[in-house]
Amino acid sequence: MAQWTSAVGPAQLARQLQAQQPRPAGPGAKKPPAYRALADGIRLLVLEGRVPVAARLPAERELALALTVSRTTVAAAYEALRAEGFLESRRGAGSWTAVPAGNPLPARGLEPLPPEALGSMIDLGCAALPAPEPWLTRGVQGALEELPPYAHTHGDYPAGLPALRQMLADRYTARGIPTMPEQIMVTTGAMGAIDAICHLFAGRGERIAVESPSYANILQLMRAAGARLVPVAMSEGLGSWDLGRWRQVLRDAAPRLAYVVADFHNPTGALADEDQRRQLVDAARSAGTVLVVDETMAELSLDDDLEMPRPVCAFDPAGSTVLTVGSASKAFWAGMRIGWVRAAPDVIRSLVAARAYADLGTPVLEQLGVNWLMRTGGWEEAVTLRRDQARENRDALVAAVRRELPEWEFSVPRGGLTLWVRTGGLSGSRLAEAGERVGVRVPSGPRFGVDGAFEGFVRLPFTVGGPVADEAAARLAAAARLVESGAGGGAEPPRSFVA
């Protein structure tokens, strides 16, 4: 029986390999043999999680043709990977990827580090901040006081607690978007909302248009659902949407869904203006595409003089084109797994009906906590604290990166939680690998693209500030020096850093 659980085609693997930037040669260093460069490229893809573990690789002849190299080069690369523990083979079953004993299993998402690892590793992988106390504690206490009547029921509310659905509808109405509670479904985080939407609207093999770059975890969710992702490049400089490209993709590819982050885009931080929002809704409506709008960063405006544009759903008064997704995770705390969908009532009914085969409902206690915070004004107080912390972290991280890595390029976003950085010609994948060795965890650009795009970028979230931001930038600079030197071995372990 074969040991592989998925397969990577030769064209796909060739695209990912050709998108990688070569490791810079140190002073006096010789260019590595072709087989060594190929083995190194495949190993990086495995370590990054962009080629899954236990994925069957193409046969030697197929990959050689796709890369226009000799079969001997591919055979030697595969042999080197087998010797290093990154490839296993069996006659008749082919070769499949593996990880050496003792190595952590890579993942294609951006999972947070376990708390016990935070003493020696600075985690810039997860764009989430600690809870804004005392409001988390107060929200939980308020929820406990209101729990007894619900405890006498079965506890399953597939559409969400009526009180929270009403509260969320009222908040949309206050933003100028008249909304009924029948237009709201409460979910287990924004990921739960988008997963439910994908299963309802986009079956296996359906096309979904996505911004390029886009949020890595959502891209992986859609891949796992069997979607065919159609990337739409951002405008020059990654400033915002390129409406010409969007209109062309929506017209030519006719995707069933399109996923966008209009408010402080993850990862670039871009903010779409009202005209762009109006044009995109019109283009999606004309193409018959359902537009899924992620508003999880919408409340994180960090500059006092910034006037926020109207929500995207304001340009879809009939509610037939735009599905809006919100969440407590970014604006409040990632541990509060509450999200929601705003859509037409018939869409909400379909999503709720499909939920019987998924998770049945969202935890009651957390819904009560969010409802208490929104009802009492605690939510606004907590979001103000969150903005202040994110603004301080942003400014500290920007100053530290500019000081330690002046050749890196980025635009300072006016909100959100992420900085999208061009790394001065260095490979983001190699920086991520070197960062693990010097004690800073950073996601490389290709995690946010499709098939190897954005190799020259990394994403830096505003999750650290003060001395920790300074240390993170210093460690990134050390990782950059390792990449520039072409060092392939280990580095000094990072000193413990607690602040």
Side-chain angles (χ1 to χ4, degrees):
M1 179 179 176
Q3 301 299 305
W4 48 273
T5 57
S6 62
V8 181
Q12 176 189 359
L13 184 57
R15 284 195 303 271
Q16 290 179 290
L17 289 166
Q18 289 164 350
Q20 290 179 333
Q21 293 170 329
R23 181 191 295 274
K30 295 181 179 179
K31 183 179 179 180
Y35 85 88
R36 183 65 264 173
L38 175 55
D40 188 38
I42 294 174
R43 179 177 59 84
L44 271 177
L45 292 174
V46 174
L47 288 172
E48 278 272 288
R50 289 185 284 123
V51 168
V53 174
R56 187 181 187 273
L57 294 186
E60 295 169 2
R61 187 186 303 278
E62 293 174 341
L63 186 57
L65 286 172
L67 291 171
T68 63
V69 300
S70 71
R71 182 177 177 181
T72 302
T73 297
V74 178
Y78 279 13
E79 183 57 38
L81 289 168
R82 277 189 287 269
E84 295 163 5
F86 286 94
L87 197 68
E88 296 181 10
S89 304
R90 196 173 65 204
R91 186 178 297 276
S95 299
W96 55 91
T97 56
V99 292
N103 275 43
L105 190 67
R108 296 187 73 171
L110 301 177
E111 294 78 11
L113 281 175
E116 61 270 18
L118 295 177
S120 60
M121 182 73 72
I122 298 176
D123 185 10
L124 296 181
C126 185
L129 290 164
E133 289 288 26
W135 294 106
L136 173 62
T137 298
R138 292 180 183 177
V140 172
Q141 290 171 341
L144 287 171
E145 292 174 0
E146 297 178 3
L147 180 63
Y150 295 93
H152 293 292
T153 73
H154 51 61
D156 287 335
Y157 295 86
L161 294 184
L164 182 55
R165 296 177 75 196
Q166 183 68 62
M167 177 63 67
L168 292 168
D170 290 346
R171 289 174 67 86
Y172 277 106
T173 300
R175 294 169 67 190
I177 318 297
T179 303
M180 305 178 294
E182 291 80 9
Q183 291 177 262
I184 301 292
M185 181 176 86
V186 181
T187 62
T188 307
M191 294 286 287
I194 294 171
D195 182 59
I197 291 169
C198 287
H199 280 89
L200 180 64
F201 284 94
R204 184 165 293 275
E206 291 274 8
R207 294 185 182 92
I208 301 179
V210 295
E211 296 150 324
S212 183
S214 187
Y215 178 36
N217 285 342
I218 294 297
L219 295 181
Q220 180 56 15
L221 181 155
M222 292 173 174
R223 290 187 188 103
R228 298 163 60 191
L229 301 184
V230 182
V232 185
M234 303 285 279
S235 62
E236 186 64 29
L238 302 176
S240 194
W241 295 335
D242 184 324
L243 269 300
R245 287 176 174 150
W246 270 105
R247 281 190 289 268
Q248 181 180 357
V249 167
L250 293 176
R251 181 182 64 246
D252 296 347
R256 185 71 182 91
L257 289 179
Y259 169 76
V260 297
V261 185
D263 301 287
F264 311 123
H265 175 260
N266 188 355
T268 71
L271 178 65
D273 62 33
E274 287 205 0
D275 187 55
Q276 290 178 317
R277 295 168 189 236
R278 179 184 296 106
Q279 288 189 53
L280 185 58
V281 172
D282 289 345
R285 184 183 297 115
S286 297
T289 297
V290 175
L291 193 59
V292 182
V293 179
D294 187 333
E295 283 193 338
T296 54
M297 297 281 192
E299 294 190 69
L300 294 178
S301 172
L302 304 184
D303 293 343
D304 293 336
D305 62 340
L306 177 61
E307 183 176 348
M308 289 294 292
R310 285 178 290 169
V312 177
C313 57
F315 304 100
D316 180 39
S320 59
T321 299
V322 177
L323 308 184
T324 303
V325 172
S327 171
S329 295
K330 302 299 185 185
F332 187 77
W333 184 48
M336 188 71 82
R337 303 304 304 157
I338 298 295
W340 52 86
V341 181
R342 181 199 179 275
D346 61 319
V347 173
I348 294 298
R349 286 193 294 270
S350 297
L351 288 169
V352 171
R355 201 169 192 180
Y357 308 101
D359 62 359
L360 292 177
T362 303
V364 169
L365 190 63
E366 293 183 19
Q367 293 187 72
L368 288 171
V370 170
N371 188 61
W372 184 92
L373 287 163
M374 290 181 171
R375 188 182 73 246
T376 62
W379 180 268
E380 281 68 29
E381 294 282 349
V383 171
T384 298
L385 289 175
R386 171 66 77 239
R387 289 180 183 137
D388 291 343
Q389 184 179 14
R391 184 184 305 110
E392 291 175 6
N393 286 357
R394 178 194 64 180
D395 296 345
L397 188 62
V398 164
V401 172
R402 283 177 171 165
R403 181 179 62 250
E404 296 286 345
L405 293 150
E407 67 279 12
W408 287 16
E409 302 173 19
F410 53 86
S411 297
V412 180
R414 306 196 68 185
L417 288 171
T418 59
L419 195 67
W420 185 240
V421 181
R422 190 188 299 271
T423 56
L426 298 181
S427 161
S429 298
R430 298 185 194 282
L431 280 166
E433 182 188 23
E436 294 279 351
R437 303 207 301 271
V438 299
V440 59
R441 181 173 182 256
V442 57
S444 67
R447 288 181 177 268
F448 303 89
V450 177
D451 281 350
F454 306 109
E455 185 61 65
F457 290 83
V458 293
R459 189 195 73 171
L460 305 180
F462 318 143
T463 53
V464 296
V468 188
D470 293 338
E471 179 67 14
R475 294 186 186 186
L476 285 170
R481 288 192 294 272
L482 278 177
V483 174
E484 288 170 342
S485 70
E492 281 191 25
R495 61 185 181 275
S496 178
F497 189 86
V498 179

PDB file of all heavy atoms in Angstrom, residues 113-132:
ATOM      1  N   LEU A 113       2.415  29.738  18.184  1.00  0.00           N
ATOM      2  CA  LEU A 113       3.317  28.879  18.939  1.00  0.00           C
ATOM      3  C   LEU A 113       2.663  28.485  20.257  1.00  0.00           C
ATOM      4  O   LEU A 113       1.891  29.255  20.840  1.00  0.00           O
ATOM      5  CB  LEU A 113       4.613  29.627  19.254  1.00  0.00           C
ATOM      6  CG  LEU A 113       5.651  29.754  18.144  1.00  0.00           C
ATOM      7  CD1 LEU A 113       6.799  30.632  18.633  1.00  0.00           C
ATOM      8  CD2 LEU A 113       6.188  28.397  17.739  1.00  0.00           C
ATOM      9  N   PRO A 114       2.965  27.295  20.788  1.00  0.00           N
ATOM     10  CA  PRO A 114       2.487  26.956  22.124  1.00  0.00           C
ATOM     11  C   PRO A 114       3.113  27.885  23.156  1.00  0.00           C
ATOM     12  O   PRO A 114       4.248  28.339  22.973  1.00  0.00           O
ATOM     13  CB  PRO A 114       2.963  25.505  22.313  1.00  0.00           C
ATOM     14  CG  PRO A 114       4.063  25.320  21.324  1.00  0.00           C
ATOM     15  CD  PRO A 114       3.749  26.208  20.176  1.00  0.00           C
ATOM     16  N   PRO A 115       2.391  28.217  24.227  1.00  0.00           N
ATOM     17  CA  PRO A 115       2.901  29.193  25.198  1.00  0.00           C
ATOM     18  C   PRO A 115       4.274  28.839  25.753  1.00  0.00           C
ATOM     19  O   PRO A 115       5.082  29.727  26.026  1.00  0.00           O
ATOM     20  CB  PRO A 115       1.832  29.171  26.298  1.00  0.00           C
ATOM     21  CG  PRO A 115       0.584  28.757  25.596  1.00  0.00           C
ATOM     22  CD  PRO A 115       1.027  27.779  24.550  1.00  0.00           C
ATOM     23  N   GLU A 116       4.571  27.552  25.905  1.00  0.00           N
ATOM     24  CA  GLU A 116       5.858  27.175  26.491  1.00  0.00           C
ATOM     25  C   GLU A 116       7.046  27.511  25.604  1.00  0.00           C
ATOM     26  O   GLU A 116       8.195  27.525  26.057  1.00  0.00           O
ATOM     27  CB  GLU A 116       5.880  25.674  26.828  1.00  0.00           C
ATOM     28  CG  GLU A 116       5.698  24.744  25.632  1.00  0.00           C
ATOM     29  CD  GLU A 116       4.247  24.400  25.366  1.00  0.00           C
ATOM     30  OE1 GLU A 116       3.355  25.125  25.879  1.00  0.00           O
ATOM     31  OE2 GLU A 116       4.006  23.413  24.653  1.00  0.00           O
ATOM     32  N   ALA A 117       6.794  27.800  24.309  1.00  0.00           N
ATOM     33  CA  ALA A 117       7.889  28.124  23.391  1.00  0.00           C
ATOM     34  C   ALA A 117       8.181  29.618  23.331  1.00  0.00           C
ATOM     35  O   ALA A 117       9.143  30.032  22.690  1.00  0.00           O
ATOM     36  CB  ALA A 117       7.566  27.604  21.991  1.00  0.00           C
ATOM     37  N   LEU A 118       7.364  30.425  24.010  1.00  0.00           N
ATOM     38  CA  LEU A 118       7.485  31.861  23.848  1.00  0.00           C
ATOM     39  C   LEU A 118       8.665  32.461  24.594  1.00  0.00           C
ATOM     40  O   LEU A 118       9.033  33.606  24.357  1.00  0.00           O
ATOM     41  CB  LEU A 118       6.184  32.542  24.293  1.00  0.00           C
ATOM     42  CG  LEU A 118       4.955  32.216  23.435  1.00  0.00           C
ATOM     43  CD1 LEU A 118       3.720  32.882  24.016  1.00  0.00           C
ATOM     44  CD2 LEU A 118       5.160  32.659  21.996  1.00  0.00           C
ATOM     45  N   GLY A 119       9.277  31.729  25.518  1.00  0.00           N
ATOM     46  CA  GLY A 119      10.402  32.281  26.256  1.00  0.00           C
ATOM     47  C   GLY A 119      11.622  32.496  25.394  1.00  0.00           C
ATOM     48  O   GLY A 119      12.387  33.431  25.609  1.00  0.00           O
ATOM     49  N   SER A 120      11.846  31.638  24.416  1.00  0.00           N
ATOM     50  CA  SER A 120      13.043  31.738  23.590  1.00  0.00           C
ATOM     51  C   SER A 120      12.746  32.128  22.157  1.00  0.00           C
ATOM     52  O   SER A 120      13.666  32.470  21.417  1.00  0.00           O
ATOM     53  CB  SER A 120      13.789  30.394  23.589  1.00  0.00           C
ATOM     54  OG  SER A 120      12.958  29.373  23.067  1.00  0.00           O
ATOM     55  N   MET A 121      11.498  32.103  21.752  1.00  0.00           N
ATOM     56  CA  MET A 121      11.129  32.401  20.373  1.00  0.00           C
ATOM     57  C   MET A 121      10.164  33.583  20.343  1.00  0.00           C
ATOM     58  O   MET A 121       9.171  33.601  21.060  1.00  0.00           O
ATOM     59  CB  MET A 121      10.456  31.181  19.727  1.00  0.00           C
ATOM     60  CG  MET A 121      10.073  31.383  18.273  1.00  0.00           C
ATOM     61  SD  MET A 121      11.471  31.391  17.135  1.00  0.00           S
ATOM     62  CE  MET A 121      11.924  29.641  17.174  1.00  0.00           C
ATOM     63  N   ILE A 122      10.469  34.597  19.543  1.00  0.00           N
ATOM     64  CA  ILE A 122       9.542  35.710  19.329  1.00  0.00           C
ATOM     65  C   ILE A 122       8.631  35.327  18.173  1.00  0.00           C
ATOM     66  O   ILE A 122       9.096  35.078  17.062  1.00  0.00           O
ATOM     67  CB  ILE A 122      10.302  37.014  19.026  1.00  0.00           C
ATOM     68  CG1 ILE A 122      11.191  37.403  20.215  1.00  0.00           C
ATOM     69  CG2 ILE A 122       9.323  38.141  18.722  1.00  0.00           C
ATOM     70  CD1 ILE A 122      12.050  38.626  19.963  1.00  0.00           C
ATOM     71  N   ASP A 123       7.345  35.276  18.436  1.00  0.00           N
ATOM     72  CA  ASP A 123       6.385  34.776  17.450  1.00  0.00           C
ATOM     73  C   ASP A 123       5.783  35.925  16.667  1.00  0.00           C
ATOM     74  O   ASP A 123       4.952  36.675  17.168  1.00  0.00           O
ATOM     75  CB  ASP A 123       5.289  33.982  18.166  1.00  0.00           C
ATOM     76  CG  ASP A 123       4.316  33.326  17.186  1.00  0.00           C
ATOM     77  OD1 ASP A 123       4.609  33.345  15.977  1.00  0.00           O
ATOM     78  OD2 ASP A 123       3.292  32.789  17.631  1.00  0.00           O
ATOM     79  N   LEU A 124       6.222  36.069  15.404  1.00  0.00           N
ATOM     80  CA  LEU A 124       5.609  37.029  14.489  1.00  0.00           C
ATOM     81  C   LEU A 124       4.768  36.307  13.439  1.00  0.00           C
ATOM     82  O   LEU A 124       4.512  36.837  12.364  1.00  0.00           O
ATOM     83  CB  LEU A 124       6.691  37.874  13.808  1.00  0.00           C
ATOM     84  CG  LEU A 124       7.528  38.770  14.722  1.00  0.00           C
ATOM     85  CD1 LEU A 124       8.537  39.566  13.911  1.00  0.00           C
ATOM     86  CD2 LEU A 124       6.658  39.698  15.550  1.00  0.00           C
ATOM     87  N   GLY A 125       4.356  35.090  13.756  1.00  0.00           N
ATOM     88  CA  GLY A 125       3.564  34.322  12.815  1.00  0.00           C
ATOM     89  C   GLY A 125       2.083  34.597  12.931  1.00  0.00           C
ATOM     90  O   GLY A 125       1.355  34.534  11.950  1.00  0.00           O
ATOM     91  N   CYS A 126       1.625  34.905  14.119  1.00  0.00           N
ATOM     92  CA  CYS A 126       0.193  35.023  14.380  1.00  0.00           C
ATOM     93  C   CYS A 126      -0.163  36.486  14.625  1.00  0.00           C
ATOM     94  O   CYS A 126       0.376  37.122  15.532  1.00  0.00           O
ATOM     95  CB  CYS A 126      -0.175  34.166  15.592  1.00  0.00           C
ATOM     96  SG  CYS A 126      -1.932  34.103  15.939  1.00  0.00           S
ATOM     97  N   ALA A 127      -1.064  37.040  13.820  1.00  0.00           N
ATOM     98  CA  ALA A 127      -1.473  38.442  13.950  1.00  0.00           C
ATOM     99  C   ALA A 127      -2.604  38.548  14.967  1.00  0.00           C
ATOM    100  O   ALA A 127      -3.772  38.759  14.622  1.00  0.00           O
ATOM    101  CB  ALA A 127      -1.903  39.008  12.604  1.00  0.00           C
ATOM    102  N   ALA A 128      -2.260  38.378  16.231  1.00  0.00           N
ATOM    103  CA  ALA A 128      -3.255  38.447  17.303  1.00  0.00           C
ATOM    104  C   ALA A 128      -2.592  38.992  18.558  1.00  0.00           C
ATOM    105  O   ALA A 128      -1.434  38.675  18.847  1.00  0.00           O
ATOM    106  CB  ALA A 128      -3.854  37.064  17.573  1.00  0.00           C
ATOM    107  N   LEU A 129      -3.327  39.806  19.305  1.00  0.00           N
ATOM    108  CA  LEU A 129      -2.812  40.450  20.504  1.00  0.00           C
ATOM    109  C   LEU A 129      -3.422  39.823  21.757  1.00  0.00           C
ATOM    110  O   LEU A 129      -4.480  39.189  21.693  1.00  0.00           O
ATOM    111  CB  LEU A 129      -3.157  41.949  20.472  1.00  0.00           C
ATOM    112  CG  LEU A 129      -2.413  42.782  19.426  1.00  0.00           C
ATOM    113  CD1 LEU A 129      -3.112  44.119  19.231  1.00  0.00           C
ATOM    114  CD2 LEU A 129      -0.965  42.988  19.840  1.00  0.00           C
ATOM    115  N   PRO A 130      -2.784  40.002  22.919  1.00  0.00           N
ATOM    116  CA  PRO A 130      -3.387  39.511  24.163  1.00  0.00           C
ATOM    117  C   PRO A 130      -4.728  40.182  24.431  1.00  0.00           C
ATOM    118  O   PRO A 130      -5.037  41.237  23.877  1.00  0.00           O
ATOM    119  CB  PRO A 130      -2.342  39.906  25.230  1.00  0.00           C
ATOM    120  CG  PRO A 130      -1.069  40.115  24.482  1.00  0.00           C
ATOM    121  CD  PRO A 130      -1.466  40.613  23.121  1.00  0.00           C
ATOM    122  N   ALA A 131      -5.513  39.576  25.296  1.00  0.00           N
ATOM    123  CA  ALA A 131      -6.849  40.092  25.590  1.00  0.00           C
ATOM    124  C   ALA A 131      -6.778  41.484  26.210  1.00  0.00           C
ATOM    125  O   ALA A 131      -5.884  41.785  27.003  1.00  0.00           O
ATOM    126  CB  ALA A 131      -7.576  39.141  26.530  1.00  0.00           C
ATOM    127  N   PRO A 132      -7.733  42.370  25.859  1.00  0.00           N
ATOM    128  CA  PRO A 132      -7.764  43.727  26.423  1.00  0.00           C
ATOM    129  C   PRO A 132      -8.434  43.732  27.800  1.00  0.00           C
ATOM    130  O   PRO A 132      -9.636  44.001  27.920  1.00  0.00           O
ATOM    131  CB  PRO A 132      -8.583  44.511  25.392  1.00  0.00           C
ATOM    132  CG  PRO A 132      -9.506  43.495  24.807  1.00  0.00           C
ATOM    133  CD  PRO A 132      -8.769  42.183  24.826  1.00  0.00           C
TER     134      PRO A 132
END
